[in-house]
Amino acid sequence: MLTFSKVLNAALPQTCVLCEDRKAKSHVQGMCSPCLAQLPWRSSACCPQCGIGNNAAICGQCLSNSPFYDTTTALFAYFYPIDAIVHAYKYQKGLYLSRLLGELMAMHSTNLHPVSIPIDGIVAMPMHPERLRERGFNQSHEIAKIVSRALKIPLYSDACQRIINTPPQATLALKERAKNIKGAFDCANEIAGLRIAVIDDVMTSGASLNELAKTLKKSGAKSVHNWVIARTL
Ligand SMILES: [Zn+2]
Ligand SMILES: [Zn+2]
């Protein structure tokens, strides 16, 4: 049987996805060390709750209107070439990139401050079944599978569902996004009492992650921590 991991392995590029250097030694699958070093890495000096700003203190926005999630860790700022990589991954079926992004998240999550909080379980940002049929895969779930394996933290694949097929958040103004996503998720009680890391690709307004955190906490999650590939600033 041709499993997903077999397809993934077959599709893995032997060269760096950015500079196409064939000889460069690579830290992670698919990218050479010099290119890795030049990615727009986020420093940990930002609001630990929402992941924005350049100051390692809770920001005014989080103080005045506290989100349901407890911490946010973003690997990258959503700049070139990360925006291009995420775009290729999601919209050009660049499934082999899930290995690269998942390995980067697993590798660096242990080094980043908020992630040193022990995590009991991982949940991927759920996709509505209709959207899943259109795209063929849930980009966050593919990354979450790799992170779960690498960090040996259980992945709760069926704990959260998207029960309303809302219009894509990217098509809406920032203030419309919270309204759009309200009530969109359903979470099972199996995550009750657990410290949950939610994996998503890009965090923009944080409205989807906040609604999911709210739903997870209603189902008894002890704490919720966003692990995202990139954060818009
Ligand atoms: Zn390279
Ligand atoms: Zn904040």
Side-chain angles (χ1 to χ4, degrees), residues 46-52 57-63 67 69 231:
C46 58
C47 169
Q49 197 164 6
C50 71
I52 58 164
I58 303 275
C59 72
Q61 183 72 28
C62 288
L63 281 176
Y69 48 77
R231 181 78 166 102

Side-chain angles (χ1 to χ4, degrees), residues 44 48 73 109-117:
S44 53
T73 303
S109 62
T110 42
N111 302 334
L112 296 169
H113 164 69
V115 181
S116 57
I117 298 160

Side-chain angles (χ1 to χ4, degrees), residues 16-21 24 31-36:
C16 172
V17 294
L18 289 176
C19 69
E20 298 186 339
D21 187 342
M31 197 176 290
C32 74
S33 305
C35 285
L36 272 179

Side-chain angles (χ1 to χ4, degrees), residues 118-189:
I119 296 293
D120 306 304
I122 292 175
V123 157
M125 174 58 73
M127 194 180 251
H128 191 272
E130 267 173 49
R131 192 86 62 79
L132 188 61
R133 262 197 299 279
E134 285 163 22
R135 185 170 294 167
F137 67 104
N138 174 345
Q139 71 276 3
S140 301
H141 190 239
E142 297 306 326
I143 294 171
K145 284 198 282 194
I146 288 156
V147 175
S148 162
R149 261 202 306 271
L151 300 182
K152 299 185 172 62
I153 300 173
L155 172 63
Y156 289 81
S157 290
D158 302 317
C160 296
Q161 312 293 335
R162 199 163 189 133
I163 51 173
I164 305 173
N165 195 10
T166 55
Q169 293 285 81
T171 62
L172 302 168
L174 287 181
K175 60 179 181 186
E176 293 293 318
R177 294 185 182 192
K179 216 165 86 188
N180 179 51
I181 202 76
K182 205 162 184 274
F185 302 108
D186 183 53
C187 297
N189 294 333

